[in-house]
């Protein structure tokens, strides 16, 4: 009985990625039986069609070593593996990394643009304006506290309970004033 598997399963068995298996099928290096692969026949065919040139064998050994130690390496050790690469391979890797960074940046910008179009983002200038106005409002209210509330506190005549209650009321009133001011500003600026 034949051991038939999907291309993805064969990729795991052969310790390669699915794209490599797809290339082998497309080039005729391994044969499909329907949509499945006969594992034994494919492994034999792969071995028979493998290049025996020293440079290909040396490169294959490098890949096999890297795969064997992939889970056991630190980032500095994996960087050391680059020393076995030729200049062309290093440049190719650097180009692919930059392309990935570029695509990632473009995707992030597209997400920002979508959020902006959906009204989920606010311009920085608007935030700066609101924060400046909020700071000014709080500052004005706090600076006017002594003038506004000295008579009220003086009427408490050193009674700690009455002073405490008066301070609570003053704090609540100031917070309410700030809240009302910010609501008015929001109504003015929002459509």
């Amino acid at each position: 009985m034949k051991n038939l598997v999907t291309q993805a399963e064969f990729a795991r068995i052969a310790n390669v990625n699915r794209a490599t298996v797809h290339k082998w099928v497309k080039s005729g290096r391994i044969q499909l039986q329907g949509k499945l692969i006969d594992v034994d026949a494919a492994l034999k065919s792969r071995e028979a069609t493998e290049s025996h040139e020293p440079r290909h064998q040396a490169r294959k050994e490098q890949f096999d070593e890297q795969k064997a130690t992939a889970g056991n390496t630190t980032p500095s050790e994996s960087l050391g593996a680059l020393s076995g690469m030729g200049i062309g391979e290093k440049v190719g890797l650097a180009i692919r990394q930059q392309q990935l960074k570029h695509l990632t940046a473009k995707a992030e910008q597209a997400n920002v643009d979508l959020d902006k179009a959906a009204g989920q983002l606010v311009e920085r200038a608007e935030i700066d304006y609101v924060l400046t106005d909020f700071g000014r409002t709080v500052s004005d209210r706090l600076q006017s506290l002594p003038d506004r509330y000295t008579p009220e506190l003086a009427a408490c005549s050193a009674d700690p309970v009455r002073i405490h209650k008066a301070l609570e009321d003053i704090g609540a009133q100031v917070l309410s004033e700030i809240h009302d001011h910010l609501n008015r500003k929001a109504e003015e600026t929002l459509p």
Side-chain angles (χ1 to χ4, degrees), residues 25-91:
V25 169
K26 192 173 181 178
S27 69
R29 191 167 173 196
I30 57 176
Q31 303 296 316
L32 288 179
Q33 294 188 2
K35 291 187 175 189
L36 300 176
I37 297 174
D38 179 353
V39 175
D40 296 329
L43 289 174
K44 286 178 188 173
S45 175
R46 176 181 169 216
E47 194 172 309
T49 58
E50 200 165 56
S51 172
H52 295 289
E53 290 185 35
R55 64 189 174 103
H56 290 156
Q57 288 301 312
R59 190 72 180 126
K60 181 179 180 280
E61 288 174 16
Q62 274 184 326
F63 281 127
D64 291 343
E65 283 178 24
Q66 288 175 354
K67 285 180 183 178
T69 61
N72 304 326
T73 60
T74 63
S76 61
E77 289 171 338
S78 61
L79 286 175
L82 291 177
S83 63
M85 297 175 86
I87 188 71
E89 293 168 313
K90 289 179 184 178
V91 169

Side-chain angles (χ1 to χ4, degrees), residues 5 12 15 23 37-38 44-45 54 59 69 79 86-87 108 112-113 131 139-140 143-144 161 167 173-175 188:
V5 296
R12 281 190 289 277
N15 200 20
K23 287 178 190 174
I37 297 174
D38 179 353
K44 286 178 188 173
S45 175
R59 190 72 180 126
T69 61
L79 286 175
I87 188 71
E108 288 173 359
V112 167
D113 292 342
L131 290 175
S139 176
D140 291 346
Q143 287 176 359
S144 68
V161 174
L167 287 173
Q173 186 176 355
V174 169
L175 288 175
E188 291 172 8

